[in-house]
Amino acid sequence: MALTGLDIFKLLPRKNCNECGVPTCLAFAMALASGKASLEACPYVSEEAKEALGSAAAPPIRLVKIGAPGVDHEVELGDENVLFRHDKTFYHPAGVAVEVGDDLDAGALAARLAKIAELVFERVGQRYTVDLVAVRNVTGDPAKFAAAAKAVAEKTKLALMLVAEKPEALKAALDVVADRKPILAWGTPATADAVVALAKEKGCAVVLRGAGLDETANLVERIAKTGFKDIILDSGARETGKVLADLTQVRRLAIKKKFRPFGFPIAAFCAEKDPLAEMTQASVYMAKYASLIVIKAVERPQVLTLLTWRQNIYTDPQKPIQVEAKLNRIGEAGPKSPLYVTTNFSLTYYTVEGEVAASKVPSYILAINTEGTSVLTSYAAGKFTADAIADALKKFEVEKLVPSKEIVIPGYVAVLSGKLADVSGWKVIVGPREAAGIPAFAKERYGRSS
Amino acid sequence: MPVDLIKERYTTKVGEVVLGATKAEGGTRSQTITVGGDSTLPFLHFEGEVPNRPVIAMEVQNMVPEWSPEVTKNFKDVIGDPAAWAAKCVKEYGADLIYLKLNGADPERGNASPEDCAETVKKVLGAVGVPLIVVGCGVEEKDNEVLPAVAEAAAGENLLLGVAKQDNYKTLTAACMVHKHCIIAQSPIDINIAKQLNILISEMNLPISRIVIDPSVGALGYGIEYTYSIMERIRIGALTGDKMLSMPVICAIGYEAARAKEANAGIDQFPGWGELAERALLWEAMTSAAFLQAGGHIFVLRHPRSVALVKQSIGQLMIK
């Protein structure tokens, strides 16, 4: 069923207009064939070609956008191409939704929302946040559900999700928060027609839940036939091992077989009651293919670990995260402060920065452009050299800030010290091998002088 | 219509390694532990066997370590006594194995002699019935004296001894050969070196059923994804015919997770990160949870609460 690049090329306008962002129609056809581009990028494609290419050219997993643009946090779910990150990368970090029950009284609801608002973390120069608030119809009462949805919408800028078994509850809540375009969960075989009708009217996505993969596939197929495509899957499983199995099958079938009913993002609802156990459960779904993870945990240490794991697993293996190569001032560094040099690989840099900060000795850190590689790797590759360090010392006029002309190099590259002293004219001090040794080193050598 | 599930048919599986030896087998352990044997990716029971659940080894040292109070507060009564410490790990916290790190042999940390170290190993063996993992202090010259002494003193116990590295594996391999122990082959987050080292060790005639791979793990937030991908590739190698990548994998997580800033910095330093106590234990538990999905078999942990959490998680994942 999959078309080759050449099959697709024959159906394209062959204008080589470059408006899709790819230089030629042939290259665009190849990108379509490998699922890396979407036919919608071509402004000149004929209706007839669209029809023919439709399913073959679509990416294996559809991209579903959540949230009202400009109003709140926009979240992109799905559009993944591989089973293992080492095959390429995972593209769209799973959305994390925190649940809020409509059984909470006004005070408890406000307290919970305040906690959710605090789930914004700064670490290693990056900002992590949760993405959605999932309002859940615990009471079964549509009026209470609508009231809770309204209260939540007023207090959060995160994207919204409405979670209820009854379509009438979803309708009541959607009526008051329609402008936020919330995700509607769930549409089941019994309720999907009603829920999808609501979603079509307001431009929302729907979580379609079957009891098991077979029923889910049938339900999605039936709904997709009506032209509705903003679908998120839920196989109904809640035990960790079963969810893992279903998430794996859905991803495999979508990628390897282009099985259309599973070509959508998939949600995982955590079921563990203890919040710590819930985090280990969520970490499984984060690693293995969930596009949307619904949790109840709201304490910062808990959510920080999950979002850190998300950041890690969605890091592109081909592109190490880099920091700007420049001179950084840590604390109130002055003319007598130590100067450390390291690479611009973010992991390395922030580890060093963290330890330098922990040493409580105000300091400078010179980050050398090693194209985001660690000290030993960049040394081996000839990117962390005496010349590169000497050039950076000149470029950033470090001498003006550190008149002692004393520089601390990582212990692992002690071998650079002679050459660096020669080419730079600086006094080279060999520091500890591991960043963890910096506080002790700083205390010993610079403790009294600052 | 039922969905036509994709069940991969792998040609080979992860090898099994047996740790410890009972009286009948020439040792003194009350039971042995078998790791590995998986014929699928982690916990995919629908297409293969996961005959042995991943196990937890708790770390004990022959010195008083400078660990976070979050961990040491649980061991105040035993921390100067490796045997009592190990016994507590097994009895109170349900450790499957003890990971005894002979850090006190480090010339700068007490410089315990090879004889002292061997004596400590004997004492720990006497205090617990579970199999033992014993690793050196990391100073190669010293470990090359200590580990053969340990191997000899515990002959027949089928310890898991480590660590062998690409440029220092011969002494330890020979000791494992002569005194019948298993070996940890450690590579620096590099699948080629992992494979090469397994080849080198097996060329000295240590059977691959006595080798465990240590791929060098990173902690959550500190390069975990590098090891994660290496481990996924090792598992795929094991399932697709690469014998020299077919050994079970040990993840020495306690040390790495404990180094993370998030496991040490108080809420006063980073108010946005929340209370330290929960962060410290979760950092170890979540690092472990990630590596469970990449194919780890032996998890070396320090924090009793994370041990409980990881055990619970393994229990859930083992349900078919």
Side-chain angles (χ1 to χ4, degrees), chain A residues 11 16 111 132 179 207 242 274 291 383 403 414:
Chain A
L11 295 161
N16 297 336
L132 303 104
D179 61 325
V207 180
K242 185 75 182 88
D274 167 56
S291 287
K383 288 172 191 155

Side-chain angles (χ1 to χ4, degrees), chain B residues 12 21 27 47 49-50 115 133 171 206 220 237 252 263:
Chain B
T12 48
E47 71 185 4
E49 297 294 321
V50 187
E115 296 73 32
I133 303 169
T171 308
L206 191 73
L220 179 64

Side-chain angles (χ1 to χ4, degrees), chain B residues 59 61 64-76 79 85 254-266 275-284 302-304:
Chain B
E59 181 172 345
Q61 297 196 354
V64 177
E66 289 173 15
W67 291 357
S68 154
E70 290 301 325
V71 177
T72 52
K73 69 184 179 196
N74 302 287
F75 298 108
K76 268 191 190 132
I79 204 155
W85 185 356
Y255 169 75
E256 289 297 331
R259 288 196 320 153
K261 176 172 291 301
E262 288 80 356
N264 294 288
E275 292 296 339
L276 171 62
E278 207 165 67
R279 237 191 295 129
L281 90 95
L282 268 176
W283 219 260
E284 188 175 86
R302 291 177 174 176
H303 199 305

Side-chain angles (χ1 to χ4, degrees), chain A residues 85 123 249 252 256 312, chain B residues 6 8 47 221 229 262 293:
Chain A
R85 62 184 288 281
R123 75 176 290 282
Q249 280 299 340
R252 278 186 186 174
K256 298 179 109 173
N312 293 163
Chain B
I6 300 183
E8 303 288 356
E47 71 185 4
S229 287
E262 288 80 356
Q293 288 307 310

Side-chain angles (χ1 to χ4, degrees), chain A residues 142-162:
Chain A
K144 286 205 174 110
F145 189 44
K150 184 160 184 275
V152 169
E154 280 165 5
K155 293 229 175 71
T156 183
K157 288 200 177 313
L158 296 172
L160 297 185
M161 177 167 179
L162 301 174

Side-chain angles (χ1 to χ4, degrees), chain A residues 166-427:
Chain A
K166 296 181 195 162
E168 52 275 29
L170 289 172
K171 180 173 190 319
L174 184 58
D175 281 344
V176 291
V177 297
D179 61 325
R180 299 288 285 269
K181 299 192 187 301
I183 298 175
L184 304 182
W186 294 276
T188 64
T191 65
D193 293 319
V195 176
V196 169
L198 289 172
K200 276 184 179 163
E201 190 188 328
K202 309 287 188 190
C204 303
V206 173
V207 180
L208 292 178
R209 187 190 76 203
L213 290 178
D214 294 345
E215 193 177 277
T216 307
N218 288 335
L219 174 61
V220 172
E221 200 164 18
R222 177 161 73 78
I223 297 298
K225 262 188 202 150
T226 69
F228 184 76
K229 296 283 166 66
D230 288 330
I231 294 168
I232 297 167
L233 311 172
D234 174 8
S235 74
R238 295 295 181 264
E239 307 83 15
T240 316
K242 185 75 182 88
V243 176
L244 171 64
D246 286 357
L247 290 169
T248 303
Q249 280 299 340
V250 164
R251 175 70 69 94
R252 278 186 186 174
L253 282 156
I255 304 274
K256 298 179 109 173
K257 294 261 174 79
K258 279 210 166 191
F259 181 63
R260 299 318 307 177
F262 287 167
F264 298 95
I266 180 162
F269 291 78
C270 292
E272 289 283 0
K273 298 227 159 44
D274 167 56
L276 304 190
E278 187 188 34
M279 291 301 94
T280 59
Q281 185 179 43
S283 85
V284 174
Y285 307 158
M286 189 63 80
K288 298 291 166 70
Y289 316 136
S291 287
L292 174 62
I293 301 177
V294 184
I295 60 172
K296 291 178 289 296
V298 286
E299 296 301 331
R300 284 177 289 177
Q302 300 157 5
V303 180
L304 173 63
T305 56
L306 181 63
L307 297 186
T308 302
W309 176 223
R310 173 173 73 178
Q311 200 281 329
N312 293 163
I313 194 84
Y314 280 90
T315 297
D316 185 341
Q318 308 295 323
K319 287 185 212 145
I321 303 171
Q322 304 180 21
V323 297
E324 191 184 342
K326 65 178 177 73
L327 184 70
N328 299 279
R329 188 166 178 244
I330 311 302
E332 298 297 314
K336 288 185 176 171
S337 296
L339 166 70
Y340 299 91
V341 62
T342 188
T343 80
N344 77 328
F345 176 34
S346 82
L347 204 60
T348 302
Y349 177 79
Y350 283 106
T351 307
V352 172
E353 193 197 87
E355 296 297 343
V356 168
S359 78
K360 303 208 162 64
V361 178
S363 310
Y364 293 100
I365 305 175
L366 182 61
I368 303 293
N369 181 10
T370 59
E371 292 161 30
T373 51
S374 67
V375 169
L376 283 177
T377 310
S378 59
Y379 167 71
K383 288 172 191 155
F384 194 59
T385 61
D387 287 326
I389 298 170
D391 288 349
L393 285 169
K394 256 190 224 133
K395 180 174 169 194
F396 298 109
E397 302 182 321
V398 186
E399 196 178 329
K400 288 184 183 163
L401 294 168
V402 187
S404 67
K405 295 186 69 174
E406 186 169 297
I407 182 168
V408 182
I409 64 170
Y412 276 119
V413 290
V415 60
L416 289 179
S417 56
K419 174 99 188 283
L420 178 57
D422 286 350
V423 296
S424 68
W426 281 56
K427 183 179 176 195

Side-chain angles (χ1 to χ4, degrees), chain A residues 83-105:
Chain A
L83 284 153
F84 301 102
R85 62 184 288 281
H86 61 254
D87 284 341
K88 183 90 177 85
T89 185
F90 294 161
Y91 290 93
H92 294 95
V96 172
V98 184
E99 211 173 280
V100 174
D102 67 353
D103 56 336
L104 299 178
D105 63 38

